[in-house]
Amino acid sequence: MEAVGDENSCDHTKARSVGCLGIGDSTLYQGFWIFAEALENIKDFQQNFNALDTDLLLASHPKSGTVWLKALAFAIVNRTRYPLLSSSNHHPLLTVSPHDLVPFLDLKHVYPASSLLDFTKSGSHDHHYSSCRLMATHIPYTSPPDSVTNSAINCKIVYICRNPQDTFISMWQFFNKMRTLPESNNKSTPSLSKMKKSCPLSLEDAFELFCNGVSDYGPYWDHVLGYWKESLERPCKVLFLKYEDLKKEPEPQLKKLAEFLGYSISVEEESVGVIKEIINLCSFQHLKNLDVNKHGKIWNNSLANKDIFRKGEVGDWKNYLTPVMVERLDRLMEEKLHESGLSY
Ligand code: A3P
């Protein structure tokens, strides 16, 4: 493994390469780690994107349930356009990946729909599927363009947070898959041919990097705390959801999400089962078994959609982490989070 630098000593205007829990070469940029290929897209987003009052932005640390939140939000805001209860259901979620229905603003090179975004044109994201600009980002709260965080613009942000143990295991599994993609898959994507030289990370090495805050889009705690604090200070601007709460009590969480997005679910809708329909449509088992998510490809056909849907459980970390690792992560989270009031 390459040496890991001290992030605190880094000049945040520059980026440099080191070993990182990520998909390949990563750099430290504005206080967070990012795989090198994403840097230009992030800068493009920061420099050229202009938020509108009506924009809805879904934010997350990688492997925290982004695709689930995308599906839920898409189904909620487009439910007049695409009714959930019709017998001949042609809902886009049945045939299109949630990642292509809700584009990433900072990962234009990964997902086909995201690559179509052109920030230099006004109203650049006039997506033919969606009734409003519903978009996503992984970048920390400190780094979106000013128009997103600016109090004069009313665009809203929903953040989904997942416990650090499951997030870590999910990242480790997913990134190792990316790091070891077969060479033949990489032909069309120069950035991936670079990545293939990365070796899979052992659990121990990955854990060390994660605990040192050296993981793509990390440190994890900085990412989570940025959105958490803003959700406390500006609850109308940022809604903070937890993956585990969505799993445990999906109905109230879904109602809260819909209300925050400005698409409240009426009593009449609730009485005819709209909430349950959305939950079922977006459930892990349902999405995972759709053809598009079983056989579709992303990242210039290099990565299979099915790799986005692994287990979708709370507590899978128990199958991997040793008691010593669990204790270390618990202590670390206590140290990093306790003053914030956010518990994990
Ligand atoms: P696991 O690797 O633990 O299974 P992201 O979308 O941010 O990349 O997060 C991926 C994680 O969310 C994966 O976790 C994936 O299986 C899980 N996931 C995907 N779709 C889901 C859904 N509809 N419901 C719950 N979890 C889901």
Side-chain angles (χ1 to χ4, degrees):
M1 197 190 304
E2 296 164 85
V4 172
D6 174 8
E7 83 211 14
N8 296 324
S9 66
C10 182
D11 174 351
H12 285 185
T13 60
K14 300 213 176 87
R16 67 204 168 96
S17 295
V18 292
C20 183
L21 169 54
I23 61 174
D25 286 342
S26 293
T27 62
L28 186 61
Y29 174 69
Q30 297 185 341
F32 66 98
W33 295 97
I34 182 68
F35 57 105
E37 296 80 21
L39 203 55
E40 286 316 306
N41 289 316
I42 289 177
K43 288 181 180 169
D44 181 25
F45 172 39
Q46 289 177 323
Q47 286 159 15
N48 297 316
F49 179 75
N50 287 309
L52 305 176
D53 281 333
T54 49
D55 284 348
L56 303 173
L57 203 53
L58 310 179
S60 59
H61 185 281
K63 312 320 287 175
S64 297
T66 319
V67 75
W68 190 16
L69 179 62
K70 283 184 175 189
L72 290 168
F74 183 89
I76 290 169
V77 306
N78 293 297
R79 67 183 188 275
T80 312
R81 213 166 168 187
Y82 304 112
L84 298 144
L85 303 167
S86 84
S87 49
S88 60
N89 203 329
H90 297 300
H91 200 285
L93 276 166
L94 299 175
T95 50
V96 185
S97 162
H99 282 311
D100 281 329
L101 293 172
V102 182
F104 272 117
L105 291 164
D106 49 320
L107 285 169
K108 285 167 76 172
H109 58 311
V110 178
Y111 301 99
S114 305
S115 69
L116 299 175
L117 297 175
D118 180 354
F119 302 142
T120 57
K121 292 187 187 142
S122 62
S124 60
H125 172 42
D126 184 18
H127 201 290
H128 64 280
Y129 284 115
S130 197
S131 53
C132 68
R133 297 211 310 177
L134 182 62
M135 300 157 287
T137 183
H138 277 325
I139 74 173
Y141 194 74
T142 42
S143 289
D146 190 48
S147 65
V148 171
T149 48
N150 190 323
S151 51
I153 309 280
N154 289 325
C155 80
K156 292 183 177 183
I157 301 170
V158 179
Y159 186 76
I160 186 160
C161 179
R162 191 180 193 192
N163 75 68
Q165 293 90 345
D166 282 329
T167 304
F168 164 68
I169 291 297
S170 187
M171 285 170 83
W172 173 61
Q173 301 262 358
F174 183 75
F175 290 162
N176 271 354
K177 199 151 261 173
M178 305 271 310
R179 292 166 79 100
T180 53
L181 285 171
E183 198 165 342
S184 57
N185 283 349
N186 297 330
K187 280 184 194 139
S188 58
T189 316
S191 60
L192 282 182
S193 47
K194 251 210 240 156
M195 275 164 36
K196 78 179 188 308
K197 293 181 199 123
S198 315
C199 302
L201 287 166
S202 69
L203 180 67
E204 291 71 23
D205 284 347
F207 186 74
E208 193 62 31
L209 289 166
F210 186 76
C211 290
N212 287 330
V214 189
S215 53
D216 275 356
Y217 294 95
Y220 163 89
W221 47 89
D222 283 350
H223 202 286
V224 166
L225 284 175
Y227 285 95
W228 169 251
K229 286 179 182 158
E230 202 57 25
S231 75
L232 297 180
E233 276 170 34
R234 292 202 285 165
C236 297
K237 176 86 180 173
V238 180
L239 174 69
F240 193 94
L241 296 177
K242 284 184 173 172
Y243 181 98
E244 297 75 22
D245 292 343
L246 263 170
K247 275 273 179 191
K248 201 167 144 197
E249 37 173 31
E251 293 199 18
Q253 294 295 316
L254 192 94
K255 278 166 82 169
K256 185 159 82 172
L257 172 61
E259 197 175 325
F260 178 81
L261 292 172
Y263 291 81
S264 295
I265 292 167
S266 67
V267 178
E268 295 74 39
E269 284 181 301
E270 197 173 344
S271 69
V272 295
V274 166
I275 295 182
K276 284 196 170 60
E277 286 292 329
I278 295 175
I279 291 169
N280 293 340
L281 176 68
C282 304
S283 76
F284 179 78
Q285 284 307 332
H286 184 245
L287 290 182
K288 181 188 169 78
N289 289 312
L290 293 171
D291 265 3
V292 61
N293 297 326
K294 274 205 292 203
H295 307 300
K297 295 277 180 75
I298 54 172
W299 208 319
N300 285 0
N301 289 332
S302 297
L303 184 69
N305 277 347
K306 70 177 167 52
D307 291 329
I308 295 164
F309 301 89
R310 194 180 63 94
K311 280 194 178 171
E313 290 171 3
V314 176
D316 185 42
W317 58 269
K318 290 176 189 149
N319 298 314
Y320 298 91
L321 300 183
T322 64
V324 174
M325 287 171 159
V326 174
E327 199 192 320
R328 179 172 171 196
L329 202 46
D330 281 353
R331 259 191 285 117
L332 184 63
M333 287 309 132
E334 168 67 18
E335 179 197 316
K336 299 289 182 191
L337 304 183
H338 85 278
E339 276 181 9
S340 68
L342 174 63
S343 59
Y344 254 124

